[in-house]
Every structure is written in C-alpha cells, then in structure tokens.
Amino acid sequence: MEETIEDPPTSAVLLDHCHFSQVIFNSVEKFYVPGGDITCYYTLTQHFIPRRKDWIGIFRCSLNHTPQLLICPNTTGSQHQVGWKTTREYYTFMWVTLPVDLNSKSPKQQEVQFKAYYLPKDDEYYQFCYVDQDGVVRGASIPFQFCPENEEDILVVTTQGEVEEIEQHNEELCRENKQLKDSCVSLEKQNADMHARLQKKQEELETLKSINKKLEQTMKEQKDCWETELLQLKEQNQKMCSENEKMGVRVDQLQAQLSTQEKEIEKLVQGVQDKAEQLEDLKKENGQLFLSLTEQREHRKELERTVEEMKQKETTAAKKEQELTDQNFDLSKRLSENKILCNVLQKEKERMEEENGLLKMENSTLLSYMGLNYDSLPHQAPASNQGGARQNPGLVYGNPYSGIQESPAPSLLSIKKCPTCKSDFPDDLFDHTLEQHMQPCSLNCPICDKAFPAKEKQIFEDHVLCHTL
C-alpha cells in the first residue's frame, strides 16, 4: 500500500448513501499491464464542487462478483455491488488536483497518475473510486485487472451472414447504448438537482436549527433576566412601602413648615412692594445716568477724533524728524570730512609756512653772502672757485668780474628744486609756483606728516583711514 505522509479521510458510511454519479471515470481499460504507471481520467459534474482533501483510491472487488455486476455508475437508486463496504478498504490512493476555475458550471476534465511501484501485483479485479474529504464516495469506475498481454494471436473465422448479424446487433446495441446514455444523463441531472435541493434544504434546516437554538438561548437568558428584574421590583416595592411611611411623617413636618413659610412669604411680599418702589426710583436714576452716558460717549468720540488727528500730526512730525535726522547725519558726516580736510590743510599750511621761513632765511643769507662776496671779492676768491674754475680754469681765484658782468652765478644760487619731483624753480617764483606745483606732486598725512607721491593716492587714503580706526 502507498506510503503517504497523511492518511486520506475515510468513513464507514453505507454505500446506499453514496452518490456515484457526481464523478464519472473515462477511458478505463479492462486490463492494465503490470510494471507501468496508470493515468486515471475522470470528469467532475457541474453540481459537484471538489475540495482540497478529496482523493481517488484503488479498491479491490470481491471474487464472488462477476464483472457485469460491477459496472458503474449505478443511477437507478438500487444497491451498488462493488465488493467492499467502507472507504477504509482502499489498496492505494492519490490526492486529487483542484481545477483552475472552480466556479465554472461546465464539466471539468481531470486526471491523476498512479505510480507502478504502488499498484497491485495480482490479477484480481480492482476499480477507481472518488472519495471526498468527508469519506463519501462520489464516483466509481468499471472493474479492471492487472495482467500481461496475450502473446498468442487468435484468429476468428466467421461467415458473411454472421458478420451481418453481428453488425446489426452492434447497431442495435449502439442505439440502446445511446438511449441509455441519454437517460443516464437525464437521471444524473435529476439526481444532481435533487441533491442540490436536498443540500439547500439541509443548509436551511441547519440555519433554522441554529436560529432556533439562538432563540432558545435568548429566551432562557430573557427569562432569567425577567426573574431577576421581578426580584428587584419586589425589593423596590418593599423599599417604597417603607419610604412611603417615612414620607407620611415627612409630610406632616412639611405642612408645619408650610404654615411657617406662608407667614414669612407675607413678610416677603411686603418687602417686595417696598423693593418695587425702590426699583422705580432706580429706573428714573438710570434714565438720567443713560442721558449723561450718551453725552459722555459723544464727548469720547470727539476726543478719539482729536487723538486720531494728534496721531497723524505725530506721524508727520516723526517723518520730518527722521528726515532732519538724516540731513543732520549727512551734515555731520560732511563736517567730519571737512574737519579732517581742514586739519590736513592747516598742517600743510604750517609746514609750508615753516618751509617759507626757512627759505626766506636761506635767501637772506644768500643775498647777504652775495653782497659780501661782491665787496671783498679778492679776499673771498676761494669761495667762488668753482664757478671761476668752470669758466676759466687758468684763473687761480676765479673771475673777479663774475658778479658784475656775468649773470649765471646769481641765477645758480637762486634756483630751488621741488622736494618731490626734483624740478628747478627760480627764487622769485618759489612762493607761488612751487607751492602750486607741490600740491599735486605730494600727499602729506594730516596726522603723522608722512608724505606720499601723488600717484600713490590710494595708499595715502588707506593710510589716513587707518588713523581713524
């Protein structure tokens, strides 16, 4: 028997309750050769829905039955003679494969293959049976045997008449077979419809049973609930009776209190009348206060308009103040720049005055020197040796008439040079021309008096900026 991981589901259901027409086996041979695999072909009818644990088994038929008694399926409703009693008597089995489309209403052609290793080795009769996962047989095949093929060829000789009779008999059998098939299909449909109705009725019965069971359970719970509520009501009734007695005593007390309160109410009514008169007075005062409040509101609106105008004026004044602040800042900035420039010019002026004084002193010295040299030229000849030597190298003490007749010597003594660009200027033009010439030629720092050439203006500005940081 086949060794499997899990045994198939079986049952001891009698064969009278099985439905052999829901699965039809096709192309079942009468003989199968031992040692080879067997493919079992079967068709699932439209009213049968396969499940995952369905299986097909090979069952041994009884030796006491002939093959004609084992033809399947039996759709007449009589007892089906198969030679076995329960689905536990299988020889081997294979799990079925579920169809791809389970919802299709057309018949589904399926197949399953049995390996040769698990097949019987004797020559007894066997048949295929389809068993669902509840252990109920849903279809059975015709019996077959496992025996080798006959190697001897048998030659049968018949006459023409016998052949015609056989053919006629075959035609009659074919017609009968066709009629039987048609009736079988009709009966299968009827059986399937009846089975579907029965199954539907069973489902409805199960539903009704479950509903009835739920209703019984609900009624039981409701009855218990009602009994509990009845007990609670009885207890409440007893409590209410005792409370009623207490309430009688309480009513007497309340009546006494009521008489007392009526007297107090009379006093309160009198007080209310007094309060009503006071209320009238208060209403008159309220009217007067309302008139004064209206006047105050109008006055408040006027004050709000005045405040709004003052805010607008304040905003305008703030804008003007901002503009004046900006102008003051610009003027302060320009004033600082002018102060720096004024300091620069003042120091430049002081420096020029100092230089002018020095130059005047030098000029006076040179003039006095020239006058002295002119009066005592023979005694002071060595002083003019250079000029005389240049003019006449033969004279030892120079030319005695150089100061009178020749003008190059005085002009050489009166020539001055620019300290920046080394340009020559006459003495009589020094104060004006040289000053104008030196201004674009050099730049002096107003703080440390450091001089910079005019072409290094950027360096001069960076230098002055460093002093301000």
Side-chain angles (χ1 to χ4, degrees):
M1 189 175 293
E2 181 182 8
E3 296 179 0
T4 58
I5 299 175
E6 183 181 359
D7 292 334
T10 59
S11 68
V13 179
L14 296 178
L15 298 178
D16 293 339
H17 298 87
C18 297
H19 305 279
F20 292 92
S21 61
Q22 293 183 351
V23 179
I24 301 173
F25 289 90
N26 307 318
S27 304
V28 180
E29 302 292 340
K30 293 183 179 180
F31 301 97
Y32 289 99
V33 180
D37 297 340
I38 295 178
T39 302
C40 174
Y41 300 94
Y42 60 96
T43 302
L44 303 175
T45 60
Q46 59 182 353
H47 298 289
F48 177 70
I49 299 175
R51 290 179 288 181
R52 190 174 61 86
K53 289 291 186 178
D54 293 357
W55 54 282
I56 294 177
I58 297 178
F59 290 80
R60 178 180 296 177
C61 298
S62 176
L63 296 177
N64 297 326
H65 297 287
T66 60
Q68 286 78 8
L69 296 176
L70 298 172
I71 295 175
C72 299
N74 184 359
T75 59
T76 61
S78 61
Q79 185 176 359
H80 188 71
Q81 298 177 354
V82 293
W84 46 271
K85 295 181 180 180
T86 66
T87 55
R88 297 191 184 97
E89 299 178 15
Y90 64 90
Y91 183 86
T92 185
F93 77 98
M94 290 294 294
W95 298 109
V96 300
T97 303
L98 295 178
V100 178
D101 187 7
L102 291 174
N103 296 324
S104 177
K105 294 185 178 180
S106 60
K108 307 171 187 65
Q109 182 72 29
Q110 298 291 113
E111 64 180 47
V112 65
Q113 189 177 42
F114 290 89
K115 297 296 182 181
Y117 176 78
Y118 301 105
L119 296 176
K121 304 298 188 291
D122 54 16
D123 57 353
E124 295 290 336
Y125 283 98
Y126 293 89
Q127 64 180 158
F128 297 115
C129 289
Y130 188 101
V131 184
D132 62 9
Q133 69 178 16
D134 296 328
V136 179
V137 179
R138 299 295 180 175
S141 69
I142 63 173
F144 55 86
Q145 285 182 296
F146 294 94
C147 59
E149 295 180 353
N150 294 327
E151 297 180 357
E152 298 179 357
D153 296 332
I154 301 175
L155 180 61
V156 179
V157 179
T158 57
T159 60
Q160 184 67 27
E162 292 176 351
V163 171
E164 292 176 356
E165 290 178 359
I166 292 172
E167 290 178 354
Q168 185 178 2
H169 185 63
N170 286 336
E171 290 177 358
E172 292 177 356
L173 290 175
C174 288
R175 286 194 297 270
E176 292 178 359
N177 188 17
K178 186 177 181 181
Q179 293 176 358
L180 290 173
K181 285 182 178 179
D182 294 337
S183 63
C184 181
V185 170
S186 177
L187 291 173
E188 286 178 357
K189 290 182 179 179
Q190 293 178 3
N191 188 15
D193 293 338
M194 294 299 293
H195 179 70
R197 292 178 183 176
L198 179 61
Q199 189 172 3
K200 186 176 181 180
K201 293 295 182 181
Q202 288 178 350
E203 291 176 356
E204 292 177 356
L205 180 61
E206 292 295 331
T207 305
L208 292 173
K209 286 182 179 180
S210 61
I211 293 171
N212 189 19
K213 186 176 180 180
K214 290 180 180 178
L215 289 174
E216 290 178 354
Q217 183 68 24
T218 305
M219 289 297 294
K220 185 177 179 181
E221 293 175 356
Q222 191 68 28
K223 185 178 179 181
D224 296 337
C225 182
W226 287 344
E227 290 178 354
T228 305
E229 290 178 357
L230 183 60
L231 292 174
Q232 292 176 356
L233 289 173
K234 287 181 179 180
E235 292 176 356
Q236 290 178 2
N237 190 15
Q238 292 177 358
K239 290 180 181 179
M240 291 296 291
C241 291
S242 61
E243 289 178 358
N244 192 11
E245 294 176 356
K246 293 179 181 179
M247 290 299 291
V249 178
R250 181 63 177 167
V251 166
D252 296 335
Q253 295 175 358
L254 291 174
Q255 286 179 352
Q257 292 179 1
L258 181 61
S259 60
T260 305
Q261 289 178 356
E262 286 177 353
K263 295 178 182 179
E264 292 178 355
I265 287 171
E266 291 177 356
K267 294 179 181 179
L268 290 174
V269 169
Q270 184 65 33
V272 167
Q273 291 178 356
D274 297 337
K275 294 293 182 182
E277 293 176 357
Q278 294 177 3
L279 182 62
E280 291 295 330
D281 298 335
L282 290 173
K283 284 182 178 180
K284 293 179 181 179
E285 294 178 0
N286 190 16
Q288 295 175 358
L289 290 174
F290 182 75
L291 292 175
S292 63
L293 180 62
T294 304
E295 294 176 356
Q296 289 179 1
R297 285 179 179 175
E298 293 177 356
H299 183 63
R300 182 181 176 183
K301 289 180 180 179
E302 293 178 358
L303 290 176
E304 287 179 352
R305 286 195 294 270
T306 305
V307 169
E308 187 67 24
E309 293 175 357
M310 293 298 292
K311 285 183 179 179
Q312 293 178 357
K313 291 180 181 179
E314 183 179 359
T315 304
T316 306
K319 290 182 180 179
K320 290 182 179 180
E321 183 180 359
Q322 184 65 31
E323 292 176 357
L324 292 174
T325 302
D326 296 339
Q327 292 178 2
N328 188 16
F329 179 75
D330 294 337
L331 292 174
S332 300
K333 186 176 181 181
R334 291 174 61 186
L335 180 62
S336 300
E337 293 176 354
N338 291 332
K339 284 182 180 180
I340 294 172
L341 183 60
C342 182
N343 293 330
V344 173
L345 295 175
Q346 184 68 27
K347 290 187 178 182
E348 184 68 19
K349 180 181 177 182
E350 293 175 358
R351 188 179 63 79
M352 295 298 293
E353 288 178 354
E354 291 177 359
E355 290 182 357
N356 192 14
L358 292 173
L359 291 173
K360 286 181 179 180
M361 292 176 64
E362 289 178 0
N363 191 14
S364 299
T365 304
L366 289 173
L367 290 175
S368 63
Y369 177 75
M370 289 176 63
L372 181 62
N373 189 16
Y374 178 78
D375 294 335
S376 60
L377 183 61
H379 303 284
Q380 300 294 334
S384 60
N385 191 18
Q386 290 181 352
R390 289 175 184 173
Q391 295 176 359
N392 190 358
L395 296 176
V396 178
Y397 295 100
N399 187 1
Y401 302 101
S402 60
I404 301 172
Q405 297 178 354
E406 297 178 359
S407 59
S411 63
L412 289 173
L413 292 173
S414 63
I415 291 173
K416 297 296 181 180
K417 291 185 177 181
C418 177
T420 303
C421 61
K422 307 301 181 183
S423 299
D424 297 331
F425 292 92
D427 186 27
D428 55 351
L429 297 176
F430 183 81
D431 293 335
H432 304 284
T433 306
L434 183 60
E435 183 177 356
Q436 295 176 357
H437 174 74
M438 289 179 65
Q439 288 180 359
C441 290
S442 64
L443 298 172
N444 295 325
C445 178
I447 299 173
C448 63
D449 294 333
K450 185 176 180 180
F452 294 89
K455 60 183 179 180
E456 298 179 356
K457 186 177 180 180
Q458 183 65 40
I459 300 175
F460 168 73
E461 292 177 355
D462 295 340
H463 177 78
V464 175
L465 182 62
C466 290
H467 287 295
T468 61
L469 295 178

